[in-house]
Amino acid sequence: MLRSAARPIAAATRKSPFSTTAKRDMKILAILYDGGKAAEQEPRLLGTTENKLGLSEWLKSQGHEYVVSSDKEGPNSVFQKEIKDAEVLITTPFHPGYLTREIMESAKNLKLCVTAGVGSDHVDLNAAVENKIQVLEVTGSNVVSVAEHVVMSILLLVRNFVPAHEMIERGDWKVSEVARNAYDLEDKVVGTIGAGRIGFRVLQRLVPFAPKELLYYDYTTLPDHAAKEVNARRVEDLKEFVSQCDVVTVNTPLHEGTRGLVNADLLKHFKKGAWLVNTARGAICDKDAVAEAVKSGQLNGYAGDVWNVQPAPKDHPWRTMKNPLGGGNGMVPHYSGTTLDAQKRYANGVRSILENYFQGKSQDPANIIVGLGKYESTACEYSRLLLR
């Protein structure tokens, strides 16, 4: 039920269902996050409302209307008002415009949804299939960015970094207070839920740390050459998998088969004092169950940048949860996949998707989550079949 990647992507492209005549006079709506002064000072913050993915002048020259906003909540939001006659929606995992069935069915002209990044769970994909609305994302645009963040998060938990840094900020110096819960990553068992494009890259980056063993849980096996490269062992039962791991990292898409996957029951099967990292999607982990597991010490720590609702409410338990020794919280805003390097890649990818759409050309099949009336993503289709 998990997306597996690190397998070859088909070289062929999908035949486009659109006319080869270039499209003009389209309304394109983009829901992005506000960058404020930072975006004004740093033009490479392309994923912001200020810098508009770098598309404004180009779209204007093509004769299209381009509406950009961060206002996305409620019936009077720019999102819900402007979507009604938009043909293309661009949104981002970092500040998602949630395209529900109800909103989708009010958008009579909508034909294409593009995710500026990776992960399209903010779109009701079943409704998109039924309404013949294509859903595409910029596959691979931030896989390295996220994989690096995963490794960083693992290290800051295992080494008890955050409490140590907070101690320095307070002006204190009590080595024993932080060292008593600091460990080496060497000789630990580390496992990934999902061994796709990100999960596999995490395994690659962990090899030099000489872990005791690398494990993965996925609905399919890695190709032989990939498994040998990282010397990883597949565990087919999820409870058995987590029971063997000192560190678990979640690297799978959010869909019907993974929502709430890490819940109170599964957490009971973790090694006591294990660490959990989630940079995939917040809703894969039960927020209250995770907070309680950290508080009790069942988990020594939880880190990540994804939240079940974004932006996260100020009273979200993941903001303040601590383990019994006062550490174990490595949560940050959702930014692992939106480094300046990643923003350049996904902005370029969005433009490429739009160019193909305008000109009636084929899209890269790796970017297509939902085609016209059918799933193209293996993970989403697999989940749908399981739930029939």
Side-chain angles (χ1 to χ4, degrees):
M1 62 185 168
L2 307 174
R3 173 183 291 169
S4 179
R7 283 171 281 281
I9 296 174
T13 55
R14 301 285 184 215
K15 183 177 179 181
S16 172
F18 303 109
S19 166
T20 55
T21 303
K23 290 173 168 284
R24 297 182 69 85
D25 302 321
M26 254 185 283
K27 181 173 181 178
I28 299 160
L29 172 63
I31 300 299
L32 306 174
Y33 61 89
D34 292 329
K37 184 179 292 186
E40 295 171 7
Q41 296 171 344
E42 178 49 83
R44 291 176 297 175
L45 280 168
L46 294 169
T48 62
T49 54
E50 291 81 4
N51 296 322
K52 302 178 175 61
L53 293 169
L55 299 175
S56 289
E57 292 304 315
W58 173 65
L59 288 173
K60 183 179 179 180
S61 73
Q62 299 291 307
H64 303 303
E65 179 185 3
Y66 187 35
V67 179
V68 179
S69 178
S70 64
D71 182 22
K72 65 189 183 76
E73 303 297 341
N76 294 319
S77 65
V78 172
F79 173 45
Q80 292 201 30
K81 287 181 178 179
E82 298 290 345
I83 193 70
K84 294 183 186 299
D85 61 348
E87 183 167 336
V88 178
L89 171 66
I90 303 169
T91 187
T92 168
F94 315 104
H95 184 80
Y98 292 99
L99 189 59
T100 63
R101 178 182 293 273
E102 181 181 4
I103 295 174
M104 193 180 297
E105 291 178 350
S106 74
K108 302 302 182 183
N109 293 334
L110 190 63
K111 293 182 175 64
L112 176 66
C113 298
V114 182
T115 298
V118 176
S120 298
D121 48 276
H122 52 278
V123 178
D124 186 326
L125 298 178
N126 291 328
V129 170
E130 294 170 21
N131 286 279
K132 293 183 169 56
I133 296 171
Q134 290 194 107
V135 181
L136 281 81
E137 58 187 47
V138 189
T139 298
S141 60
N142 56 15
V143 293
V144 169
S145 311
V146 177
E148 289 182 358
H149 194 100
V150 171
V151 176
M152 177 189 73
S153 298
I154 291 172
L155 287 169
L156 71 84
L157 286 180
V158 172
R159 300 308 296 259
N160 205 25
F161 175 84
V162 174
H165 180 69
E166 291 172 342
M167 176 182 289
I168 292 300
E169 287 188 320
R170 292 193 305 267
D172 293 336
W173 189 283
K174 299 178 181 178
V175 174
S176 61
E177 289 297 310
V178 290
R180 66 176 176 171
N181 200 24
Y183 297 83
D184 296 336
L185 186 54
E186 184 180 49
D187 206 35
K188 301 296 186 294
V189 178
V190 186
T192 174
I193 298 177
R197 290 179 176 87
I198 294 172
F200 181 72
R201 283 168 173 79
V202 170
L203 294 174
Q204 287 178 311
R205 285 155 177 76
L206 289 172
V207 170
F209 290 94
K212 182 177 182 179
E213 191 172 20
L214 293 174
L215 308 180
Y216 71 98
Y217 172 79
D218 204 314
Y219 72 88
T220 188
T221 57
L222 286 170
D224 288 342
H225 68 89
K228 289 178 182 177
E229 178 186 342
V230 294
N231 193 26
R233 176 169 62 90
R234 182 186 179 204
V235 180
E236 296 186 46
D237 181 83
L238 183 57
K239 291 179 178 178
E240 178 63 23
F241 166 82
V242 299
S243 73
Q244 297 180 42
C245 294
D246 299 299
V247 181
V248 174
T249 170
V250 180
N251 300 290
T252 182
L254 174 64
H255 49 70
E256 292 99 326
T258 60
R259 186 178 298 274
L261 185 69
V262 181
N263 54 27
D265 179 61
L266 184 65
L267 286 164
K268 294 176 184 176
H269 294 270
F270 276 61
K271 285 185 179 181
K272 185 172 178 59
W275 296 276
L276 176 60
V277 173
N278 179 15
T279 56
R281 286 296 182 267
I284 294 172
C285 296
D286 182 302
K287 67 178 177 65
D288 295 319
V290 165
E292 179 56 35
V294 172
K295 181 181 177 181
S296 70
Q298 175 63 16
L299 287 178
N300 201 357
Y302 181 84
D305 68 324
V306 289
W307 307 70
N308 59 312
V309 177
Q310 295 185 176
K314 291 185 177 180
D315 62 350
H316 197 292
W318 290 357
R319 287 182 180 265
T320 56
M321 62 186 176
K322 302 283 187 182
N323 64 26
L325 295 177
N329 190 328
M331 292 303 296
V332 295
H334 191 177
Y335 82 104
S336 66
T338 190
T339 62
L340 294 180
D341 302 292
Q343 290 192 43
K344 181 178 180 180
R345 290 190 292 267
Y346 66 65
N348 288 340
V350 170
R351 176 164 174 160
S352 177
I353 289 169
L354 292 177
E355 285 176 335
N356 290 337
Y357 180 71
F358 296 160
Q359 298 171 22
K361 293 182 178 179
S362 302
Q363 300 285 357
D364 182 340
N367 290 337
I368 306 173
I369 306 303
V370 173
L372 279 179
K374 63 178 182 176
Y375 281 99
E376 300 289 351
S377 166
T378 305
C380 296
E381 174 64 6
Y382 186 81
S383 172
R384 187 181 69 84
L385 291 172
L386 284 176
L387 294 167
R388 276 182 172 177

